[in-house]
Amino acid sequence: MKPPVYYEHIHTCKQTGARYGILHTPHGDFETPIFMPVGTQATVKTLIPSEIKEVSDGLILANTYHLWLQPGDELIKNFGGVRGFMKWDGALLTDSGGFQVFSLSKTRKIKEEGVYFNHYKSGEKLFLSPEDSIHIQNNLGADIIMSFDECPPFNSNYEYLKDSVERTMRWAKRGLEAHKNKDTQALFGIVQGAGNKELRKYSIDELEKLDFPGYSIGGLSVGETKEEMYEMLEYLKDIMPKNKPRYLMGVGSPDDLIEGAINGIDMFDCVLPTRNARHGSAFSKYGQIQVKNTKLKEDPNSLDECDCYTCKNYSRAYLNHLVKSDEILGQRLITYHNLYFLKNLMKNIREAIKEDRLLDFKKEFYQNYGYKMKGRS
Protein backbone atom coordinates (compact mmCIF):
# COMPACT_ATOMS: atom_id res chain seq x y z
CA MET A 1 0.00 0.00 0.00
CA LYS A 2 1.42 3.37 -1.02
CA PRO A 3 1.70 6.18 1.56
CA PRO A 4 -0.65 9.19 1.20
CA VAL A 5 2.17 11.24 -0.35
CA TYR A 6 4.94 9.77 -2.48
CA TYR A 7 7.41 10.82 -5.15
CA GLU A 8 7.72 9.32 -8.61
CA HIS A 9 11.01 10.11 -10.33
CA ILE A 10 10.68 10.36 -14.11
CA HIS A 11 13.76 12.06 -15.57
CA THR A 12 17.18 13.40 -14.58
CA CYS A 13 18.59 16.35 -16.53
CA LYS A 14 21.80 15.27 -18.24
CA GLN A 15 23.25 18.80 -18.00
CA THR A 16 22.69 19.28 -14.28
CA GLY A 17 21.34 16.22 -12.49
CA ALA A 18 18.12 18.14 -11.73
CA ARG A 19 15.07 15.95 -11.09
CA TYR A 20 11.72 15.93 -12.88
CA GLY A 21 9.01 13.90 -11.22
CA ILE A 22 5.47 13.66 -9.91
CA LEU A 23 4.45 14.35 -6.31
CA HIS A 24 1.36 12.27 -5.55
CA THR A 25 -0.94 13.57 -2.78
CA PRO A 26 -4.52 12.86 -1.63
CA HIS A 27 -5.67 16.06 -3.36
CA GLY A 28 -3.77 15.98 -6.61
CA ASP A 29 -0.66 14.89 -8.45
CA PHE A 30 1.90 17.62 -9.16
CA GLU A 31 4.82 17.90 -11.53
CA THR A 32 8.06 18.79 -9.78
CA PRO A 33 10.00 20.96 -9.23
CA ILE A 34 7.06 22.97 -7.90
CA PHE A 35 6.67 26.33 -6.15
CA MET A 36 4.02 26.57 -3.43
CA PRO A 37 2.41 29.97 -2.69
CA VAL A 38 2.22 30.74 1.03
CA GLY A 39 -1.19 31.16 2.65
CA THR A 40 0.00 31.96 6.16
CA GLN A 41 -3.40 32.70 7.72
CA ALA A 42 -5.41 30.26 5.56
CA THR A 43 -5.35 32.85 2.79
CA VAL A 44 -2.90 33.71 0.05
CA LYS A 45 -3.04 37.42 0.77
CA THR A 46 -5.48 39.41 -1.42
CA LEU A 47 -6.52 36.41 -3.59
CA ILE A 48 -9.63 34.22 -3.56
CA PRO A 49 -9.34 30.43 -4.10
CA SER A 50 -10.33 30.55 -7.78
CA GLU A 51 -7.50 33.03 -8.39
CA ILE A 52 -5.05 30.93 -6.39
CA LYS A 53 -5.82 28.04 -8.75
CA GLU A 54 -4.92 30.22 -11.72
CA VAL A 55 -1.54 31.31 -10.34
CA SER A 56 -0.42 28.07 -8.67
CA ASP A 57 -0.10 24.42 -9.59
CA GLY A 58 -2.63 23.54 -6.90
CA LEU A 59 -0.45 23.02 -3.82
CA ILE A 60 -0.19 25.79 -1.22
CA LEU A 61 1.14 26.26 2.32
CA ALA A 62 -0.42 27.42 5.59
CA ASN A 63 1.27 28.39 8.87
CA THR A 64 0.73 26.20 11.92
CA TYR A 65 1.91 28.73 14.50
CA HIS A 66 -0.32 31.57 13.33
CA LEU A 67 -3.43 29.41 12.84
CA TRP A 68 -2.92 27.83 16.26
CA LEU A 69 -2.99 31.31 17.82
CA GLN A 70 -5.81 32.66 15.64
CA PRO A 71 -8.49 31.35 15.26
CA GLY A 72 -7.33 28.06 16.81
CA ASP A 73 -6.81 24.60 15.35
CA GLU A 74 -9.83 23.04 17.09
CA LEU A 75 -12.13 25.62 15.51
CA ILE A 76 -10.56 25.02 12.10
CA LYS A 77 -10.98 21.26 12.53
CA ASN A 78 -14.71 21.80 13.03
CA PHE A 79 -14.86 23.47 9.60
CA GLY A 80 -13.16 20.54 7.88
CA GLY A 81 -9.58 21.65 8.37
CA VAL A 82 -7.88 24.52 6.57
CA ARG A 83 -9.17 23.34 3.21
CA GLY A 84 -12.79 23.44 4.36
CA PHE A 85 -12.28 26.65 6.31
CA MET A 86 -10.86 28.63 3.37
CA LYS A 87 -12.79 26.70 0.67
CA TRP A 88 -9.64 25.41 -1.01
CA ASP A 89 -10.08 22.10 -2.83
CA GLY A 90 -6.43 21.73 -3.84
CA ALA A 91 -3.60 20.21 -1.86
CA LEU A 92 -2.11 21.74 1.29
CA LEU A 93 1.12 21.68 3.27
CA THR A 94 1.61 23.04 6.78
CA ASP A 95 4.86 23.96 8.50
CA SER A 96 5.47 22.94 12.10
CA GLY A 97 5.92 26.23 13.93
CA GLY A 98 9.63 25.48 14.13
CA PHE A 99 10.64 28.53 12.12
CA GLN A 100 9.00 30.74 14.76
CA VAL A 101 11.40 29.17 17.25
CA PHE A 102 14.08 30.87 15.14
CA SER A 103 12.33 34.14 14.30
CA LEU A 104 11.07 34.75 17.87
CA SER A 105 14.47 34.07 19.40
CA LYS A 106 14.29 37.10 21.72
CA THR A 107 11.17 35.86 23.49
CA ARG A 108 11.56 32.08 23.64
CA LYS A 109 13.34 29.40 25.66
CA ILE A 110 14.13 26.01 24.14
CA LYS A 111 13.91 23.05 26.50
CA GLU A 112 13.92 19.31 25.92
CA GLU A 113 10.15 19.18 26.39
CA GLY A 114 9.50 21.96 23.85
CA VAL A 115 9.61 25.72 23.44
CA TYR A 116 8.35 28.36 25.85
CA PHE A 117 7.66 31.79 24.41
CA ASN A 118 5.35 34.78 24.52
CA HIS A 119 2.53 35.62 22.15
CA TYR A 120 3.95 37.98 19.53
CA LYS A 121 1.08 40.44 20.07
CA SER A 122 -0.37 40.03 23.56
CA GLY A 123 2.71 38.78 25.40
CA GLU A 124 0.73 35.79 26.74
CA LYS A 125 2.93 32.88 27.86
CA LEU A 126 2.77 29.95 25.42
CA PHE A 127 4.27 26.48 25.11
CA LEU A 128 4.68 24.31 22.01
CA SER A 129 6.01 20.75 22.06
CA PRO A 130 6.66 18.32 19.19
CA GLU A 131 3.48 16.49 20.15
CA ASP A 132 1.50 19.75 20.22
CA SER A 133 2.76 20.69 16.76
CA ILE A 134 1.70 17.36 15.27
CA HIS A 135 -1.69 17.45 17.02
CA ILE A 136 -2.33 20.96 15.68
CA GLN A 137 -1.35 19.90 12.17
CA ASN A 138 -3.58 16.83 12.41
CA ASN A 139 -6.44 19.22 13.16
CA LEU A 140 -5.47 21.56 10.32
CA GLY A 141 -5.73 18.60 7.97
CA ALA A 142 -2.97 19.29 5.44
CA ASP A 143 -1.82 16.60 3.01
CA ILE A 144 1.80 17.19 4.05
CA ILE A 145 2.88 18.18 7.55
CA MET A 146 6.26 18.96 9.11
CA SER A 147 8.22 17.68 12.08
CA PHE A 148 8.78 20.18 14.89
CA ASP A 149 12.37 21.39 14.81
CA GLU A 150 14.75 24.12 15.83
CA CYS A 151 16.17 26.27 13.04
CA PRO A 152 19.56 27.38 14.44
CA PRO A 153 21.42 30.44 13.12
CA PHE A 154 23.57 29.50 10.12
CA ASN A 155 26.93 30.35 11.69
CA SER A 156 26.31 28.83 15.14
CA ASN A 157 29.26 27.11 16.78
CA TYR A 158 29.66 23.34 16.55
CA GLU A 159 28.68 22.58 20.15
CA TYR A 160 25.42 24.50 19.88
CA LEU A 161 24.61 22.98 16.49
CA LYS A 162 25.31 19.43 17.63
CA ASP A 163 23.00 19.80 20.62
CA SER A 164 20.36 21.43 18.42
CA VAL A 165 20.46 18.75 15.71
CA GLU A 166 20.32 15.92 18.23
CA ARG A 167 17.37 17.52 20.02
CA THR A 168 15.58 18.08 16.70
CA MET A 169 16.11 14.37 15.99
CA ARG A 170 14.55 13.40 19.31
CA TRP A 171 11.66 15.74 18.55
CA ALA A 172 11.25 14.09 15.13
CA LYS A 173 10.87 10.67 16.80
CA ARG A 174 8.36 12.07 19.27
CA GLY A 175 6.42 13.65 16.42
CA LEU A 176 6.26 10.37 14.54
CA GLU A 177 4.87 8.66 17.62
CA ALA A 178 2.28 11.41 18.09
CA HIS A 179 1.13 11.41 14.43
CA LYS A 180 -2.43 10.04 14.31
CA ASN A 181 -3.35 10.45 10.64
CA LYS A 182 -0.67 8.41 8.87
CA ASP A 183 -3.15 7.16 6.25
CA THR A 184 -4.16 10.67 5.12
CA GLN A 185 -1.25 12.94 6.05
CA ALA A 186 2.45 12.57 5.23
CA LEU A 187 4.85 13.75 7.94
CA PHE A 188 8.17 15.01 6.56
CA GLY A 189 11.44 15.00 8.49
CA ILE A 190 13.50 18.20 8.48
CA VAL A 191 17.24 18.18 7.79
CA GLN A 192 19.07 20.68 10.00
CA GLY A 193 22.70 21.45 10.75
CA ALA A 194 23.03 25.05 9.53
CA GLY A 195 26.38 25.53 7.74
CA ASN A 196 28.04 22.38 9.07
CA LYS A 197 28.23 19.60 6.46
CA GLU A 198 29.12 16.90 8.98
CA LEU A 199 25.99 17.63 11.02
CA ARG A 200 23.85 17.92 7.90
CA LYS A 201 24.89 14.39 6.89
CA TYR A 202 24.31 13.15 10.42
CA SER A 203 20.83 14.67 10.34
CA ILE A 204 20.03 12.95 7.02
CA ASP A 205 21.38 9.58 8.15
CA GLU A 206 19.34 9.63 11.36
CA LEU A 207 16.16 10.81 9.62
CA GLU A 208 16.49 8.06 7.01
CA LYS A 209 16.40 5.49 9.80
CA LEU A 210 12.93 6.78 10.68
CA ASP A 211 11.80 6.37 7.03
CA PHE A 212 9.85 9.59 6.60
CA PRO A 213 7.84 9.81 3.35
CA GLY A 214 9.62 13.07 2.48
CA TYR A 215 12.47 15.28 3.64
CA SER A 216 12.63 19.04 4.09
CA ILE A 217 15.78 21.15 4.21
CA GLY A 218 15.54 23.75 6.93
CA GLY A 219 17.97 26.38 8.14
CA LEU A 220 18.78 27.94 4.76
CA SER A 221 17.87 31.41 3.49
CA VAL A 222 18.14 32.61 7.10
CA GLY A 223 20.87 35.20 6.70
CA GLU A 224 23.72 33.30 5.05
CA THR A 225 25.04 34.38 1.65
CA LYS A 226 23.61 32.87 -1.52
CA GLU A 227 27.01 31.32 -2.19
CA GLU A 228 26.89 29.57 1.20
CA MET A 229 23.37 28.32 0.53
CA TYR A 230 24.23 27.02 -2.93
CA GLU A 231 27.36 25.29 -1.63
CA MET A 232 25.29 23.49 0.99
CA LEU A 233 22.61 22.52 -1.53
CA GLU A 234 25.28 21.12 -3.86
CA TYR A 235 26.63 19.06 -0.96
CA LEU A 236 23.19 17.79 0.04
CA LYS A 237 22.20 16.92 -3.52
CA ASP A 238 24.06 13.60 -3.57
CA ILE A 239 23.32 12.47 0.00
CA MET A 240 19.59 13.19 0.28
CA PRO A 241 17.30 10.14 -0.19
CA LYS A 242 16.72 9.74 -3.91
CA ASN A 243 13.30 8.07 -3.80
CA LYS A 244 11.61 10.68 -1.59
CA PRO A 245 10.51 14.28 -2.26
CA ARG A 246 12.95 17.02 -1.26
CA TYR A 247 11.52 20.30 0.01
CA LEU A 248 13.65 23.45 0.43
CA MET A 249 11.81 25.59 2.96
CA GLY A 250 11.35 29.35 2.65
CA VAL A 251 13.15 29.90 -0.68
CA GLY A 252 11.53 31.61 -3.65
CA SER A 253 13.54 34.20 -5.59
CA PRO A 254 13.92 33.30 -9.28
CA ASP A 255 17.65 32.60 -9.04
CA ASP A 256 17.19 30.47 -5.92
CA LEU A 257 14.49 28.41 -7.64
CA ILE A 258 16.76 27.73 -10.60
CA GLU A 259 19.80 26.93 -8.43
CA GLY A 260 17.66 24.80 -6.12
CA ALA A 261 16.31 22.79 -9.05
CA ILE A 262 19.86 22.29 -10.37
CA ASN A 263 20.73 20.90 -6.95
CA GLY A 264 17.93 18.35 -6.88
CA ILE A 265 15.15 20.20 -5.04
CA ASP A 266 11.55 19.19 -5.81
CA MET A 267 9.49 21.63 -3.70
CA PHE A 268 9.82 25.30 -2.74
CA ASP A 269 7.79 27.89 -0.84
CA CYS A 270 8.31 31.53 0.04
CA VAL A 271 6.39 34.69 0.98
CA LEU A 272 8.63 36.74 -1.34
CA PRO A 273 6.30 37.05 -4.36
CA THR A 274 3.28 38.10 -2.28
CA ARG A 275 5.22 40.31 0.13
CA ASN A 276 7.02 42.07 -2.72
CA ALA A 277 3.69 42.65 -4.45
CA ARG A 278 2.24 44.38 -1.41
CA HIS A 279 5.23 46.73 -1.52
CA GLY A 280 4.79 47.46 -5.21
CA SER A 281 7.57 45.25 -6.56
CA ALA A 282 6.90 43.02 -9.56
CA PHE A 283 8.83 40.24 -11.26
CA SER A 284 9.47 40.56 -14.98
CA LYS A 285 11.53 38.78 -17.60
CA TYR A 286 14.03 41.64 -17.43
CA GLY A 287 14.27 41.95 -13.64
CA GLN A 288 12.38 43.51 -10.77
CA ILE A 289 10.08 46.44 -11.52
CA GLN A 290 9.36 49.03 -8.82
CA VAL A 291 5.82 49.89 -9.83
CA LYS A 292 5.80 53.15 -7.89
CA ASN A 293 8.66 54.50 -10.02
CA THR A 294 7.72 57.87 -11.55
CA LYS A 295 9.03 56.67 -14.92
CA LEU A 296 6.02 54.35 -15.13
CA LYS A 297 3.43 57.11 -14.62
CA GLU A 298 2.55 57.32 -18.32
CA ASP A 299 3.85 53.91 -19.45
CA PRO A 300 1.21 52.17 -21.62
CA ASN A 301 2.97 48.79 -21.59
CA SER A 302 2.06 45.78 -19.49
CA LEU A 303 4.25 44.75 -16.57
CA ASP A 304 5.86 41.94 -18.50
CA GLU A 305 5.76 39.79 -21.63
CA CYS A 306 3.17 37.68 -19.90
CA ASP A 307 -0.32 36.30 -20.53
CA CYS A 308 -1.56 36.60 -16.94
CA TYR A 309 -4.76 38.52 -16.21
CA THR A 310 -2.84 41.55 -14.95
CA CYS A 311 -0.63 41.86 -18.00
CA LYS A 312 -3.43 41.17 -20.49
CA ASN A 313 -5.62 43.92 -19.06
CA TYR A 314 -3.65 46.69 -17.35
CA SER A 315 -0.87 49.14 -18.12
CA ARG A 316 2.10 50.00 -15.97
CA ALA A 317 0.62 53.50 -15.74
CA TYR A 318 -2.58 52.18 -14.14
CA LEU A 319 -0.69 49.97 -11.72
CA ASN A 320 1.59 52.90 -10.86
CA HIS A 321 -1.52 54.94 -10.05
CA LEU A 322 -3.00 52.17 -7.86
CA VAL A 323 0.20 51.67 -5.88
CA LYS A 324 0.72 55.40 -5.34
CA SER A 325 -2.91 55.69 -4.24
CA ASP A 326 -2.45 52.77 -1.83
CA GLU A 327 -5.35 50.95 -3.47
CA ILE A 328 -5.82 47.29 -2.56
CA LEU A 329 -6.50 46.43 -6.20
CA GLY A 330 -2.89 47.29 -7.00
CA GLN A 331 -1.69 44.78 -4.41
CA ARG A 332 -4.06 42.16 -5.79
CA LEU A 333 -3.01 42.62 -9.40
CA ILE A 334 0.72 42.55 -8.66
CA THR A 335 0.31 39.54 -6.33
CA TYR A 336 -1.53 37.72 -9.10
CA HIS A 337 1.21 38.57 -11.59
CA ASN A 338 4.13 37.65 -9.31
CA LEU A 339 2.70 34.22 -8.50
CA TYR A 340 1.84 33.60 -12.15
CA PHE A 341 5.41 34.56 -13.06
CA LEU A 342 6.82 31.94 -10.68
CA LYS A 343 4.31 29.32 -11.81
CA ASN A 344 5.46 29.91 -15.39
CA LEU A 345 9.13 29.90 -14.33
CA MET A 346 8.69 26.48 -12.71
CA LYS A 347 6.95 25.17 -15.83
CA ASN A 348 9.92 26.34 -17.92
CA ILE A 349 12.37 24.77 -15.46
CA ARG A 350 10.55 21.44 -15.71
CA GLU A 351 10.56 21.57 -19.51
CA ALA A 352 14.28 22.37 -19.50
CA ILE A 353 14.97 19.41 -17.20
CA LYS A 354 13.00 17.04 -19.43
CA GLU A 355 14.91 18.31 -22.47
CA ASP A 356 18.33 18.13 -20.73
CA ARG A 357 19.02 21.86 -21.13
CA LEU A 358 18.60 23.41 -17.68
CA LEU A 359 22.02 25.09 -17.77
CA ASP A 360 21.14 26.63 -21.12
CA PHE A 361 17.86 27.87 -19.69
CA LYS A 362 19.65 29.29 -16.65
CA LYS A 363 22.13 31.20 -18.81
CA GLU A 364 19.37 32.76 -20.93
CA PHE A 365 17.20 33.61 -17.92
CA TYR A 366 20.11 35.19 -16.02
CA GLN A 367 21.12 37.31 -19.01
CA ASN A 368 17.59 38.62 -19.43
CA TYR A 369 16.95 39.16 -15.72
CA GLY A 370 20.25 40.87 -15.03
CA TYR A 371 21.62 38.23 -12.68
CA LYS A 372 25.31 37.44 -12.58
CA MET A 373 25.96 33.76 -13.16
CA LYS A 374 26.22 31.83 -9.89
CA GLY A 375 26.72 28.16 -9.13
CA ARG A 376 27.23 25.80 -12.04
CA SER A 377 27.49 27.45 -15.46
Side-chain angles (χ1 to χ4, degrees), residues 122-304:
S122 69
E124 174 190 359
K125 293 185 182 300
L126 299 168
F127 173 73
L128 191 62
S129 71
E131 293 82 2
D132 293 333
S133 173
I134 299 301
H135 175 72
I136 294 165
Q137 292 182 83
N138 288 164
N139 285 342
L140 297 179
D143 301 86
I144 302 171
I145 66 177
M146 295 295 123
S147 299
F148 191 61
D149 65 324
E150 180 196 357
C151 175
F154 189 80
N155 293 311
S156 301
N157 64 56
Y158 180 83
E159 289 73 19
Y160 182 93
L161 282 179
K162 188 170 187 297
D163 288 344
S164 173
V165 169
E166 290 180 340
R167 181 173 51 245
T168 286
M169 204 60 56
R170 293 191 293 271
W171 285 358
K173 293 177 183 177
R174 287 166 55 186
L176 268 177
E177 293 171 359
H179 185 28
K180 303 299 183 186
N181 299 338
K182 293 182 175 67
D183 293 337
T184 57
Q185 292 179 299
L187 173 61
F188 281 22
I190 301 181
V191 177
Q192 289 289 0
N196 187 287
K197 292 178 181 177
E198 173 192 332
L199 290 174
R200 287 282 184 177
K201 185 170 190 312
Y202 170 78
S203 179
I204 292 170
D205 291 343
E206 293 301 306
L207 288 171
E208 276 199 271
K209 293 176 185 177
L210 300 176
D211 195 27
F212 285 95
Y215 297 90
S216 305
I217 299 172
L220 292 178
S221 192
V222 292
E224 79 281 7
T225 66
K226 285 183 181 285
E227 288 72 21
E228 287 173 321
M229 179 170 72
Y230 298 158
E231 180 184 352
M232 182 57 71
L233 289 177
E234 187 172 7
Y235 171 74
L236 295 174
K237 178 178 182 178
D238 293 327
I239 62 174
M240 292 282 287
K242 291 180 170 49
N243 63 336
K244 304 287 180 73
R246 305 170 178 182
Y247 165 31
L248 178 57
M249 307 176 77
V251 170
S253 66
D255 55 340
D256 290 348
L257 295 176
I258 294 171
E259 299 293 346
I262 286 172
N263 286 299
I265 300 300
D266 307 305
M267 305 163 62
F268 303 85
D269 84 281
C270 194
V271 299
L272 182 70
T274 49
R275 177 183 289 165
N276 279 9
R278 296 194 303 277
H279 290 89
S281 182
F283 294 129
S284 85
K285 179 179 180 179
Y286 300 104
Q288 286 279 326
I289 295 175
Q290 301 306 319
V291 181
K292 192 180 288 189
N293 194 316
T294 303
K295 294 180 181 179
L296 275 58
K297 184 177 181 180
E298 299 179 14
D299 191 334
N301 297 301
S302 61
L303 271 179
D304 197 16

Side-chain angles (χ1 to χ4, degrees), residues 81-123:
V82 172
R83 296 173 65 257
F85 195 46
M86 70 177 286
K87 303 303 179 186
W88 171 249
D89 60 7
L92 180 71
L93 179 150
T94 47
D95 60 9
S96 68
F99 181 74
Q100 278 69 38
V101 175
F102 169 80
S103 62
L104 300 175
S105 59
K106 294 181 180 179
T107 63
R108 55 90 169 127
K109 291 183 179 179
I110 301 172
K111 302 290 186 180
E112 184 64 28
E113 61 269 26
V115 180
Y116 297 86
F117 53 96
N118 298 328
H119 192 294
Y120 72 106
K121 288 184 177 178
S122 69

